[in-house]
């Protein structure tokens, strides 16, 4: 790839991908609404509000691929989510349509289905059960991506990320964790595939414990290598026995199901 | 019911429901962004932009039930859809949450699944395949309603209206038509049911030809009475043989699949 | 049929069938643990405890068909259910095996699945969710009948009766009601079919509102004629608006979900 | 339609359709390997062996629609089935491809699934279980039609005819019967539909008793009017009680499951 | 865990678990109707008939977890099965309800589905097809456990044990075998899980050959380590080629399908 | 096994199996319409046209097992396919029926489903979508094998071979490849199984990327060992980036979807 755009590159996940995807393209174009620090030799840094259509068009122009991590990534007030995750995503897809339809990895979320219980095993045909406005915005995002695929052939991987971080930090993540390495490898699979289509993919490592079935996406050849199970003893030691009544251990979306609607003011 | 709110009451469907639902509540509160004409004795008329949170709160207060037909109901530019169908719906659900959670009939649309072909038979578990930004906004609406159901117990009937009009005006509507009478009856079933939940319901009459399966919602006891088939001869006479290659006769969403993305300016 | 056995013939449902099935066989053999009154010309009356194996053998001998309504038919203490519904059923099937394997209509119950909500639509493959010890005994009965079918070819119709009575007496029965006429007709279909097998059949009339799908059993040609909907106005008038929070209107099993485990002493 | 071709027009079903479809096209072209009698004013009669490619090409040329009833329609030796139902069908589809791809109604058969038992309810996704070489030839035919649809857009209605005759003549046909009237109406629906695709359709009337589910094809708007049930009393009177062990009453394919492989010489 | 109860601890499987679970709790309370030998330092031995309600209450009191292996574990006469597996299980669940609802591992059985053929692949939604009265008692057990889960929140793992023994002793067990090690690990997973629910779990090792799908229970993180395949050569050598017509190699339940109903006297 | 017949033994796959299956039987009987070279000590070579019934009977007589690779294995004109794959297969099954019903491995093909896209994941219940006359002949073959199983108990493994060759030679084969080793092992599993039945099995190695689900056939204990992924780098180096619009990378059947119907002359 010549130029790969990573949005949301100043966030925790963005920073991890900035390092790990550096070798996957000649140039990384990195954007965020926050400061991105100093540019590495093969980097282009762009300060950009996703709600600004023109800025997003300039951002996308010239890119061969997009890893869209930008936008609000936790529960927040609707106005902020609307600007970044609804309008922002529309802007991104319009920009992609105008600039050659580069393939997109879209960071969707397990919070689209957060109200399923942890003793349920689901695949991507399970009806949406979002656990907050953030989750609703990801349902919107999946629908928008699908529209652009059906109507214009725009390909997107809709990755419902579980918990993508250095390592699991609570017992729920023994099921939901995806290592940086596995996510990086998934992104590589998405960009190398001759045909991508518009699949939903559960973003989890090869954990012993899991709630989600990725067999429909086996055509991508993604085989995650890591396993949250290796961290169980450490979690048991530091956190003690998990509370069986806590939302964190009852719902796939964990504590998000308890979030209130955030007031606008 | 004491007071039933109908939003979008100045539109074609709204006007039809205004008449037909008059006897279903002591008072009809009618709202629209457009002029609603003169109030009948049992009517309250409210000029209201759904994007205005405060106005929507005042609108909902005191109502026992809501038939939400308001918002943009055809393909349009994103900014308009965002204001009326995304922000507007959020405002409506927040208002309902603040004011006793009256049951809601939400006018969703077949355009959430418009890219299915007309030789496909689907039920409500079929993945979304929206045919435009309007359809995407209805996917958002269904997800938002689901959130409020899961989190707060707010009940909504998500009616994916086919073609609700006086009578079918093209051959596609032999499958997608819902008579005003049948929609009225559906609304009555929704409000009388002890338990509603948050079902998706295909809004069609008892047409000989159909694409959609409503058996999952049989608990509501809705039995549509009308049948588009009675209009076939008339349509054949006036329109001639339908073009088998036209989107109107290939896709469930009909001509919407050919709509462009409307430019903002 | 020469001789048709009806067990539980002194109960409400048994009495109704006693009259209605009189013309379906040369002789009706009627049994119950309670008094059966005076015999009609074509009747044989047998006082019988189903827990008494020998008595049950004598009861079954010489019969061409069995309508098994006997046993405990509401929630009760386990010892009583065990004697009548577990041991009693075993006795009945052993007797049938010894005496020519007459076809059996077994009164199973909706209480095998009573914990499904009333907004759920299920078919006979839905996992069991019994709502009491009575319901558990019917799960046992279905399993026992299945065993005798698999191992010995004994045919049984497992009729999960909803509410079989003169007419619906609450709003739940608008969905669960089966008229005496329709049950009689179902029994006739079961006995006339060349091949019965061992199907589960939902015992409901052709109600507008329903939770259960009988399409798998269409080979029997049973077409119920009655519809609980005709009693809605009457119920509304006498009972008022149903309480949406009451178990009666939330669960398919209605109030049974609230029954305690009955203490033995 | 200008010219409708009916193959196999000298057979029992062909003769029935010859009369009933006369008004559905300006000209009926009728073909058979047997004598077709005298031509009516709007008829063209063609003596034709389906195994003769050139003859079939001439037969198809100029036709707007084809009702393909020709070929062997019962169990027979393989060489005859190969010539008429395998080679013959290939010839027909090649001819259709060469001559404008007129829509085809293909007389497939319930003998593609004849080994299902009569207490099983299946839809068109049920795996093939043919009950003879004849049934296998129909599996071939459905696959061939599908190929021409996928590769060339040739539309075919694959009608798995149950028992299409004047009236049911045994108890099996209470489930499998299709009246001439209903088949005629189905053919009309197939030719009038803007989009046909390549559906499998179970060819049965609106019988009370049925094994097959046509809901996937509801888009055609076919509503059969007749019901074999009306003949039950007559069959009971003339045939007595059906033997529950006979293949005729155990398998959907009836006696065909007992047919031997016919020796070639 | 402080105190873990193992019922049926004198049986073959019970003895194996007695050893292997010793380190999983401070105290093992062991019960059986047969002699349990001498107590180890951390053991409490209780002679107990499961049919004795009071004895079972005392048995359960003070336990944090229960591994219920007790009861009849092969085909037997109904009276014995009724006492131990029906009444006995009821007693156990009542005792658990009275004493803090300790989590239960219930030894259900593959004989609940023994009539499936060995070329069928099933998951836990497959309808019950018990192969004997023993299998029927396990269907009852699963239904009873489900009732206590739905009504009281009692959690149980319903483990449909295949063949849990030292090693496979016939070719059927190449598919049905579960090693002691894997069962021990499963029990550990069940007790450590924050949320258990009431899942059915197929009790088999990671055999190359298998009939049963456990993916729905992946949330428990159980990864069996052993594989019956390692014993194939040994079985081939000692037993020769398996008879393809023998029930042992045709049905999932093996020889149980041939068991008669055991006479009471 | 005493004598194993391999048909089509002169083809590429046949030659590979000739070597690898040598040790699986005392005698290999090898047949082809082409020259088979010189016989090895344990080989019997037979020149045979599958269309010649008598020759095929002689060929099959005395064999304990058959690996049927013979017939046309690419797209060709219908007359050739009819002789070798339709008539030839009929001859083979008749011969097997006459000679003790030796178990058969039938080389079916992925071209029975070639029109599925490469982003679709299917199992053996997916409806046929053949991509040419060759594919249609394999649909016929599967139906014929099924008939002989249902009617006569003839067991066959219907192996839908992906791409069985030395190594993958294009990017499509990263998903469709089956190594010779894995196919050999599959054949061994088929012949050793006590019960085979008549399963469809996808013939692929344990590739990281795959489209097909074999879990229904896990009872055979086949665990492929090879993985096409190891050849990706080599393919990337020699072929460059695959064209995403090429049929080879869009359809499961690859270039076959583009094959014309081959003219007869």
């Amino acid at each position: 790839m010549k130029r790969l755009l990573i949005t949301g590159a100043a966030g925790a996940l963005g920073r991890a991908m900035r390092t790990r995807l550096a070798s996957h393209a000649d140039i990384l174009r990195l954007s965020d609404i926050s400061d991105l620090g100093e540019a590495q030799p093969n980097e282009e840094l762009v300060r950009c509000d996703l709600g600004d259509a023109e800025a997003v068009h300039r951002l996308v122009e010239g890119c061969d691929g997009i890893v869209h991590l930008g936008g609000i990534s936790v529960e927040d007030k609707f106005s902020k989510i609307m600007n970044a995750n609804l309008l922002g995503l529309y802007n991104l897809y319009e920009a992609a349509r105008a600039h050659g339809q580069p393939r997109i990895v879209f960071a969707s979320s397990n919070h689209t289905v957060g109200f399923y219980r942890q003793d349920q095993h689901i695949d991507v045909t399970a009806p949406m059960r979002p656990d907050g406005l953030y989750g609703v915005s990801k349902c919107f995002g999946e629908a928008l991506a699908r529209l652009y695929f059906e109507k214009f052939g725009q390909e997107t991987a809709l990755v419902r990320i579980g918990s993508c971080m250095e390592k699991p930090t609570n017992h729920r993540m023994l099921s939901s964790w995806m290592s940086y390495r596995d996510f990086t490898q998934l992104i590589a699979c998405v960009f190398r595939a001759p045909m991508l289509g518009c699949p939903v993919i559960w973003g989890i490592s090869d954990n012993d414990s899991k709630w989600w079935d990725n067999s429909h996406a086996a055509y991508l050849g993604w085989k995650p290598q890591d396993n949250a199970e290796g961290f169980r003893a450490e979690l048991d030691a530091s956190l003690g026995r998990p509370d069986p009544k806590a939302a964190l251990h009852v719902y796939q979306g964990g504590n998000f199901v308890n979030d209130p609607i955030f007031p606008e003011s």
Side-chain angles (χ1 to χ4, degrees), chain A residues 1-80:
Chain A
M1 226 178 318
K2 288 227 183 88
R3 185 180 283 105
L4 173 65
L5 169 63
I6 306 177
T7 68
L13 182 51
R15 289 193 310 269
M17 290 302 110
R18 181 179 181 173
T19 314
R20 288 165 188 269
L21 292 172
S23 62
H24 288 242
D26 298 342
I27 301 169
L28 283 193
R29 182 176 291 175
L30 304 166
S31 80
D32 209 294
I33 200 168
S34 302
D35 182 54
L36 284 154
E38 216 163 321
Q40 297 298 309
N42 75 331
E43 291 181 345
E44 299 172 356
L45 306 189
V46 184
R47 201 72 172 267
C48 175
D49 177 350
L50 294 167
D52 176 344
E54 274 187 55
V56 173
H57 271 257
R58 284 192 306 268
L59 181 66
V60 166
E61 188 171 10
C63 294
D64 309 291
I66 301 175
V67 176
H68 181 53
L69 310 175
I72 306 290
S73 63
V74 290
E75 192 60 10
D76 210 327
K77 60 175 72 168
F78 185 70
S79 55
K80 290 186 64 179

Side-chain angles (χ1 to χ4, degrees), chain A residues 85 89 93 106-113 124 126 128 135-149 156-161 198-202:
Chain A
N85 293 17
L89 200 72
Y93 274 83
F106 170 57
S108 183
S109 168
N110 72 83
H111 296 291
T112 53
V113 294
V124 295
M128 299 293 207
V136 169
S137 78
K138 294 302 182 181
C139 298
F140 167 90
E142 294 192 7
L144 189 77
R146 186 82 207 171
L147 167 65
Y148 278 78
F149 175 65
T156 304
L158 302 160
V159 185
R160 289 191 188 157
I161 296 174
C198 190
V200 173
I201 302 162
W202 302 101

Side-chain angles (χ1 to χ4, degrees), chain A residues 111-215:
Chain A
H111 296 291
T112 53
V113 294
F115 266 104
Y116 285 93
R117 293 189 321 277
Q118 294 188 10
D119 63 350
Q120 294 183 285
H121 187 72
I122 60 176
D123 65 21
V124 295
T125 67
M128 299 293 207
R129 298 179 68 183
D131 57 24
L133 296 173
Y134 167 65
V136 169
S137 78
K138 294 302 182 181
C139 298
F140 167 90
E142 294 192 7
L144 189 77
R146 186 82 207 171
L147 167 65
Y148 278 78
F149 175 65
E150 298 274 2
K151 203 159 227 169
F152 307 114
Q154 166 73 50
E155 293 186 305
T156 304
L158 302 160
V159 185
R160 289 191 188 157
I161 296 174
S163 308
C164 195
M165 30 204 335
E166 196 63 40
K167 58 180 192 176
T169 59
N170 60 42
H171 284 86
R172 173 178 169 268
M173 294 189 198
L174 292 173
S175 302
S176 65
W177 183 62
M178 176 166 57
S179 71
Y180 290 147
R181 177 166 69 151
D182 283 335
F183 189 31
T184 305
Q185 197 52 41
L186 170 55
I187 294 169
C189 289
V190 165
F191 284 118
R192 85 175 180 211
M195 160 183 273
L196 172 61
C198 190
V200 173
I201 302 162
W202 302 101
I204 43 167
S205 281
D206 185 32
N207 305 326
D208 278 4
S209 167
K210 56 169 133 316
W211 311 318
W212 304 319
D213 183 343
N214 258 333
S215 49

